[in-house]
Amino acid sequence: MSPLKRVLIVGGTHGNELIGISLVQKFERQAVLLRRPSFETLTLLGNPAAIAAGTRYLDQDLNRCFAAETLAKTDDPAYEVGRAQAIHRTYGPGGQTPVDLIVDLHGTTANAGQMLILDSLDHFTLALAAHLSLLEPAIKVYSSADSGRKRDSLRSLAPYRLGIEVGPVAHGTLQAQLFGQTEALVLAVLDYLEAYSSGTPYPAAPLLTLYQYVGALDYPRSPEGALLAMIHPERQGQDYQALHPGDPLFITFEGDPIAYDGPETVYPVFINEAAYYEKGIALCLTQKQTIVVKTDAVGSAAGPEPI
Ligand SMILES: [Zn+2]
């Protein structure tokens, strides 16, 4: 990677996820917190109209509006499409102030704790995650790389990107502990980037536990799409915990358990996320992997490979 010039911290890509929104607003009041000598850090409230309305979005999910064909549309009346195009013109490649790395802040009703979302397993991103994991061992690292999803998220505008997802927190509400943890994570990312840019060695966990996305399951539904079951009480809040074939997963409104009938043990995340009911997702399935993070001298990672 050529030297980092510009980083963008984004909150409010979803307008009712208040931790990221309030943190970006705090950073805008106290810009000194973001200042580092070797690069510039900008902030962005992703979806201001949805923030004002207190909803996830007005017309459609902004975080699905950044595919090339959506950005090329000329007559789409959806607010979020126009907003995505404006963000792309400003921060995207070839934009007014193109950014090298986007940190996108989200909140979830699922029991995510502090989750890093990696869209790519390039060396630079892995070394960053390994560093943050060493600072805060409770962090979980989720990989959506190779998930088959096209590059349509806001952070896909930048060559390097990191999602931070914290929970459980009800949409439309704040939670002080998660707010503080999110702030500490963002500042640790900036400190890492400063050390990286100035060639200072930094410590990194040699092994990283990765929850690799392998698929998603919807709730049992009627042919018309009505819900027929809920998350089983034994599974509620059990994000990152092993789900074996035959384990109870759902429970019907009549009280009958429904077992997980997949072929192998998986590690669910985003269990019972409120915003995913409309997407037909009851939980995401991951495989738990341990990867070795390559480092050279004293914890200093070698330069990142291009994506
Ligand atoms: Zn979100």
Side-chain angles (χ1 to χ4, degrees):
M1 185 164 86
S2 50
L4 196 75
K5 285 199 198 76
R6 207 172 282 126
V7 175
L8 182 65
I9 312 291
V10 185
T13 297
H14 295 129
N16 58 359
E17 296 176 3
L18 294 198
I19 289 176
I21 295 164
S22 301
L23 189 54
V24 162
Q25 289 169 336
K26 171 176 173 173
F27 288 147
E28 290 178 350
R29 288 192 302 270
Q30 301 178 47
V32 64
L33 293 171
L34 300 183
R35 223 163 278 155
R36 300 293 181 281
S38 64
F39 58 92
E40 180 184 16
T41 300
L42 306 174
T43 54
L44 174 72
L45 291 171
N47 194 333
I51 293 169
T55 60
R56 183 173 174 87
Y57 55 80
L58 296 190
D59 296 320
Q60 61 192 70
D61 189 339
L62 177 65
N63 216 24
R64 300 290 184 277
C65 289
F66 289 83
E69 61 266 29
T70 311
L71 294 173
K73 284 181 177 175
T74 53
D75 56 352
D76 195 311
Y79 166 78
E80 279 79 10
V81 172
R83 179 66 184 152
Q85 291 169 342
I87 292 171
H88 177 253
R89 282 195 299 273
T90 306
Y91 302 105
Q96 292 149 6
T97 51
V99 295
D100 302 303
L101 185 144
I102 292 177
V103 181
D104 194 18
L105 308 176
H106 290 263
T108 172
T109 59
N111 189 21
Q114 304 172 66
M115 177 199 280
L116 306 180
I117 302 181
L118 313 187
D119 300 334
S120 151
L121 299 182
D122 63 276
H123 189 180
F124 176 78
T125 304
L126 283 175
L128 169 59
H131 173 70
L132 297 173
S133 298
L134 194 68
L135 292 184
E136 178 46 83
I139 283 175
K140 297 287 197 295
V141 183
Y142 170 80
S143 162
S144 62
D146 304 322
S147 66
R149 178 176 160 184
K150 57 186 173 183
R151 286 182 61 166
D152 58 0
S153 66
L154 190 157
R155 61 183 178 269
S156 70
L157 288 180
Y160 293 94
R161 43 207 182 268
L162 179 71
I164 296 178
E165 188 87 58
V166 296
V169 57
H171 295 312
T173 70
L174 283 159
Q175 207 264 40
Q177 187 181 15
L178 290 173
F179 179 94
Q181 290 170 341
T182 307
E183 178 175 14
L185 263 176
V186 171
L187 297 179
V189 169
L190 297 181
D191 290 342
Y192 171 91
L193 297 175
E194 178 61 29
Y196 174 82
S197 298
S198 58
T200 310
Y202 45 82
L207 296 175
L208 200 57
T209 299
L210 204 64
Y211 294 84
Q212 173 64 50
Y213 174 91
V214 292
L217 291 178
D218 192 10
Y219 297 93
R221 293 179 191 263
S222 72
E224 295 75 36
L227 291 168
L228 296 177
M230 308 164 272
I231 294 292
H232 193 281
E234 288 177 19
R235 188 52 46 186
Q236 177 64 36
Q238 300 300 307
D239 297 64
Y240 312 109
Q241 302 302 314
L243 173 67
H244 306 290
D247 282 351
L249 177 54
F250 299 111
I251 188 165
T252 69
F253 301 118
E254 289 69 39
D256 299 320
I258 298 173
Y260 171 60
D261 63 358
E264 57 185 354
T265 296
V266 287
Y267 295 80
V269 296
F270 292 115
I271 298 170
N272 206 3
E273 159 54 42
Y276 287 176
Y277 279 70
E278 67 176 25
K279 294 185 192 294
I281 296 174
L283 63 163
C284 293
L285 306 180
T286 74
Q287 281 171 348
K288 190 175 177 179
Q289 304 170 348
T290 301
I291 52 174
V292 178
V293 180
K294 281 181 275 173
T295 56
D296 46 46
V298 210
S300 160
E305 328 257 316
I307 294 171

